[in-house]
Structures are given as structure tokens and as C-alpha cells.
Amino acid sequence: MRSWWRYKKPAGKYLIAYNKITKDRYLPTGPELAQSAQLFDISGDKMKLILDFPTIGEPHYAQAVSASVIKDKSVKMFKIEENQHPYVAKGEKETKVVREGNKVHVYMTAIRSHLTPDNIEGIKMGDEVYFHVTNLEQDWDVPHGFAIKGADNAELLIMPGETQTLKWVPTKVGISPMYCTDFCSALHQEMTGYVRVSPAGSNVPLKFGTGVTKPEVAAASK
Ligand SMILES: [Cu+2]
């Protein structure tokens, strides 16, 4: 018998009830009212309620598998030394900002609780900026997020040891904050930085630094 076959067979031990009308159960906390779901143990003579929890409105479908089916196969952490991403920075010393025509590549790292670099100057209107963010954590349950104000496409969620890229095309001159979007520690809100966008054709040189607010100091510290 092929091993996947057993996953298709109903285990017959549990039953989930999605209760589509849940009246007077939960506090009205938002525009949608919570409905109720219940998990029963049906392995014995009498069904036993083992979990009762709120779920979204109009629940229709549920599927469950035993944790043992996926537990040992899940990738929890990417080893930083095995990261083959072409824009990886395997440590803060490898971070840099590189201009190629109107494309700017930011080799960035994230670790509790800062981004490196966290201060970038010399981006111009008309540039395409690629933030290649490597999560340097080697602790499996510490993802970091990344977003920059004004990006209208997405944000990143970067697992430990992984590198992900966010493309950003600045739409206005000025300072744009960037920040971690996944609560990662008590100092999560410190995981921020700034990018200064200059007018197209300006001669502001590319500079970057970490932990300093004055760009000229940041440049000198490199
Ligand atoms: Cu973070």
C-alpha cells in the first residue's frame, strides 16, 4: 500500500461542527460577527466536546490531518550558510547598497532588533529599488517582516535564514520610513529605518549606514 493512502482515509475519531448561526455567544468586536465551531471526539459511545471556538462567518469546510503527517517534513529554518540567493547578505558586514543604472539593490539584513542598513540616501525619483532582506536569525520561530511606506504591492515575511526581495518604485521626494512588519520581540518597534528620495537627476550620492541618524556620519563610519 502506498504510504499516502492512509492520509485519504477518514480517521473517524473527530467531528467538527460549523455552526452557522451563533446567537448571543461572542462580543460584537467588528463588522463581522464571530460564528462558533466545535470539535468533538467521536471515538467513544458518546460524542465529547473537546474544543469550542469562534470562527469567521459562513464557515463551510474543514479538513484536518494528524500533526505527525507534517511535523517532521516542515522546513522550520533555512541554514544561513546554505543560502544561495544571489542577493544574500550572510552577515551585517556583507550589507551594501549598489546602483546599476536606475536600479538600486539594497543588500539588507534583519535581526532582533534592527535592520542593516537603516539609513539610505541617494535614491532618486525614477529609480527602482530592490530590498533584498536576509533574516539572520537562526532560531526557527523568529520571522521578520519588511515594508516601506508608499510601496503598493506587498510586504515581506522572511523566515530565519531566508532572503526575500521587495521592489519599490518611489513616488515622491522626501523621507520614506521602512520597518519590520512582524512582531519579533519587545523591541520590534525599533526595527525601523529611513530612505531619502531625491529629485530625478539630483547629485545626492548613494550613502548608507546603521544606527546613526546623520547620513554624513553614516558614510564616514563605513
Ligand atoms: Cu522584526
Side-chain angles (χ1 to χ4, degrees):
M1 188 187 284
R2 303 270 290 267
S3 64
W4 49 262
W5 179 248
R6 63 197 163 99
Y7 308 143
K8 290 189 166 184
K9 266 165 82 180
K13 290 182 186 164
Y14 303 99
L15 175 86
I16 188 156
Y18 270 159
N19 307 312
K20 293 175 72 165
I21 297 174
T22 307
K23 198 179 170 327
D24 300 333
R25 275 293 305 277
Y26 302 113
L27 287 173
T29 50
E32 176 66 278
L33 295 175
Q35 307 295 325
S36 140
Q38 293 167 317
L39 182 67
F40 294 91
D41 179 342
I42 54 169
S43 59
D45 280 351
K46 281 192 167 180
M47 56 198 278
K48 250 193 319 199
L49 177 66
I50 52 178
L51 185 65
D52 186 316
F53 56 101
T55 183
I56 52 166
E58 279 290 314
H60 282 277
Y61 182 70
Q63 195 170 31
V65 291
S66 148
S68 62
V69 174
I70 41 178
K71 193 167 62 69
D72 298 331
K73 295 183 186 130
S74 71
V75 177
K76 289 186 167 171
M77 195 163 74
F78 299 86
K79 284 190 185 129
I80 191 76
E81 62 271 20
E82 289 171 14
N83 186 320
Q84 298 291 318
H85 195 286
Y87 295 94
V88 65
K90 295 188 180 181
E92 293 183 356
K93 286 206 171 93
E94 294 181 14
T95 59
K96 58 188 172 181
V97 182
V98 178
R99 173 177 288 284
E100 286 168 12
N102 75 326
K103 291 184 170 59
V104 178
H105 294 281
V106 181
Y107 296 69
M108 181 179 276
T109 59
I111 193 165
R112 284 165 291 173
S113 293
H114 58 277
L115 299 166
T116 305
D118 62 7
N119 193 304
I120 302 168
E121 287 226 348
I123 305 294
K124 296 169 206 171
M125 290 296 289
D127 282 348
E128 287 174 4
V129 185
Y130 295 85
F131 294 98
H132 309 287
V133 188
T134 302
N135 180 349
L136 292 180
E137 306 283 352
Q138 289 289 271
D139 207 359
W140 77 271
D141 54 355
V142 192
H144 288 291
F146 181 79
I148 182 155
K149 200 171 176 213
D152 57 6
N153 47 358
E155 59 178 270
L156 301 180
L157 181 71
I158 314 137
M159 295 312 286
E162 192 186 22
T163 305
Q164 286 202 32
T165 300
L166 182 79
K167 179 186 174 184
W168 177 56
V169 180
T171 53
K172 62 174 195 223
V173 167
I175 302 292
S176 293
M178 52 189 179
Y179 43 92
C180 177
T181 52
D182 197 78
F183 191 90
C184 52
S185 81
L187 293 174
H188 162 69
Q189 60 271 48
E190 307 289 318
M191 277 190 89
T192 59
Y194 296 92
V195 178
R196 180 180 159 199
V197 178
S198 302
S202 93
N203 56 6
V204 176
L206 208 55
K207 286 180 187 170
F208 57 96
T210 309
V212 285
T213 50
K214 287 186 177 166
E216 55 276 21
V217 180
S221 73
K222 278 281 149 188

